[in-house]
Structure formats: structure tokens, C-alpha cells
Amino acid sequence: MADTATATKKVSQEESGDAKNLAALRMAITHAEGFGAAYNPSYQNISLASLRSFYADCEKALSSSRDAMGVHRSDVQKRKAEFDVLGKRLTRVYNAFSQQATKKQSKDAQSLVKKGRGDNRKKADPEKIDAKTISTSQMSFDNRVESARVVMSYVEASGIYDPNEADLKASGMKGFIDGLETLNNAVGKSVNVRMSTRITKNKLFYTGEGSLIDRVQDMKKYVKSAFGASSPEYRQLSKVQVKARRS
């Protein structure tokens, strides 16, 4: 729980930092507009026309990244809720099966059920979206789905599994497991969109040529050169602060 809280806090700080940097860019543009015709850089990246267009691109990229993050978080929560049910459901399947099963059948089934429940799995951090973590997490859920199918194949093949409860019947379990697979696939798709939009946003804000950070700094250099280090224009613009990401 502590790890998840720390990760969520880190993501929230990233979102806040992005928003502050975007607001800083807007403020820098406003200051430059206030300088009038005297603000006339030869470097097109910091011309007012280019800055206004770039600001719109950054605003759109940040919005898309936030939306993708929201969808992914929702998909993760839905998957977690249903997979939490899986362990209990498989335990019920085992209890229904073991009533008539031999000792060996019960032991074999119990081993399979443990895999389906994911008793020994390491919990992945849902807020970490690096490629390795995503691959490990998806594989873990894929394995649990497959293990659940193996459990059902085993108890069905025994010829003695025939519960009266609809949710425990083979058909009911098949529908439930198919639903888990659908939820897991949805997480896989939404995390890819989240990664893609985050990469696009980060290039515009931090890592790409002519990033938000670079442009604000270049605006300061230009104003310092054109108006002078002691000018009110430079003193005003120099107060606009942007921060690069630490990682």
C-alpha cells in the first residue's frame, strides 16, 4: 500500500510540474506580448507566432496525456476488482470439486488453484509504466487467466465436477474467465496509449529539440541581449521559472 501511495504521489507531482511549466510558458508569452514591437527575435522558435502555436501543442499534449492516464487507471481498477474475485471463485471451485475427488485429484487441483489465485506473485506497481514493469504485469495476469482455464479443464475432465451453483458451473466459469481476459487486454491497450501520449508530452515539454524548457530559457537569453541585463523587461521575464524533470 505504501509503495502504491508513493507512486501515486510521484505521478501527481509530475502532473503538477507539467501544469506549472505550461502556465509559466503562458506567462512568458504574455510578458513578450507586452514588450510590443521591441520584442523581435530572429530565432523563429521564440517568435510570438511560433510560441503561440507551440503553447497550443503543449496544451493539447498535456490534455491527451491526462486523459490517457485516467482511462488506464480506470482499466487497472476494473481489472483488479475482478481478479480479486478470481481467487475466491477458484477456491469455491476447488471446494466443490474436492467433495468427490480422490486425494491425488484434490492435491493436483489445489496446486493448480494456487497458480490461478497468484498466491506467490509479486505485486506490480500500477503507476510504473516502464516497458519492463508493463510486460511483467501483463504476463502475470495472462498467466493467472491461463491457470484458471487449466483448473477448469482439469476438474471438467474428471467427470465428477457438476455443481448446482450457476457461477461455479463450467459455462459460468468460462464466461467469467473470458471477461478477465478482456479486462486484461483493455489494460494492455490503455497503457500503450498512456505511454505514447506521455512520450509525446515529454518531448514537447522536456526532451525534444525546442522544448518548452528550452524556449523559455531562450526567451530570457534574447531579452537579456536585446533589452539589457538590468532592463525592466529582463527582470520581469527572469522571474518566470520552469523546471526540468528529474528523471
Side-chain angles (χ1 to χ4, degrees):
M1 182 68 73
D3 290 342
T4 301
T6 300
T8 301
K9 182 178 179 181
K10 183 177 179 181
V11 171
S12 298
Q13 289 174 339
E14 179 180 327
E15 292 174 338
S16 176
D18 294 339
K20 287 179 180 178
N21 283 335
L22 185 62
L25 175 61
R26 177 69 263 177
M27 182 60 69
I29 294 172
T30 298
H31 289 334
E33 290 171 337
F35 300 156
Y39 183 85
N40 187 31
S42 60
Y43 183 36
Q44 285 303 302
N45 262 13
I46 57 172
S47 69
L48 284 175
S50 177
L51 288 169
R52 289 170 185 144
S53 176
F54 180 73
Y55 177 85
D57 290 341
C58 288
E59 191 173 38
K60 181 179 179 181
L62 181 56
S63 177
S64 295
S65 181
R66 284 172 173 164
D67 290 346
M69 185 184 299
V71 171
H72 176 238
R73 283 176 169 171
S74 176
D75 286 345
V76 168
Q77 290 169 358
K78 291 175 184 176
R79 179 181 68 178
K80 181 181 183 304
E82 290 302 302
F83 270 85
D84 284 348
V85 174
L86 174 61
K88 297 175 183 177
R89 189 78 69 87
L90 288 177
T91 297
R92 291 174 61 207
V93 167
Y94 170 76
N95 288 334
F97 172 71
S98 63
Q99 295 169 34
Q100 300 181 60
T102 65
K103 289 183 178 180
K104 183 179 186 308
Q105 287 175 322
S106 293
K107 185 177 180 180
D108 290 344
Q110 188 174 46
S111 177
L112 295 173
V113 165
K114 285 183 178 180
K115 292 181 180 179
R117 287 196 307 237
D119 290 352
N120 298 320
R121 75 186 187 281
K122 291 183 179 180
K123 292 185 178 180
D125 181 355
E127 291 299 344
K128 288 188 69 175
I129 57 171
D130 59 279
K132 182 178 179 180
T133 301
I134 291 168
S135 177
T136 300
S137 177
Q138 287 296 113
M139 186 176 298
S140 172
F141 285 103
D142 286 341
N143 288 342
R144 290 184 68 193
V145 168
E146 181 57 28
S147 294
R149 295 196 192 281
V150 171
V151 169
M152 295 312 300
S153 294
Y154 181 79
V155 297
E156 281 186 84
S158 71
I160 61 174
Y161 184 76
D162 187 25
N164 291 325
E165 291 73 22
D167 60 341
L168 297 185
K169 287 183 178 294
S171 58
M173 284 299 296
K174 181 181 184 303
F176 176 66
I177 295 169
D178 287 346
L180 295 178
E181 186 172 30
T182 298
L183 289 172
N184 193 40
N185 289 340
V187 171
K189 291 178 181 178
S190 64
V191 76
N192 284 333
V193 174
R194 180 177 175 181
M195 287 183 71
S196 177
T197 56
R198 186 171 184 247
I199 288 170
T200 297
K201 182 261 297 178
N202 284 345
K203 283 182 178 178
L204 284 171
F205 278 64
Y206 307 106
T207 62
E209 288 294 326
S211 67
L212 182 155
I213 301 295
D214 290 341
R215 293 191 192 221
V216 172
Q217 298 302 338
D218 288 340
M219 289 176 73
K220 291 180 181 181
K221 292 175 184 177
Y222 165 71
V223 170
K224 187 176 185 179
S225 170
F227 293 87
S230 60
S231 66
E233 290 86 356
Y234 178 68
R235 286 200 299 271
Q236 183 183 47
L237 188 61
S238 65
K239 293 178 182 178
V240 176
Q241 298 297 316
V242 289
K243 293 185 178 181
R245 287 197 316 145
R246 292 182 179 180
S247 58

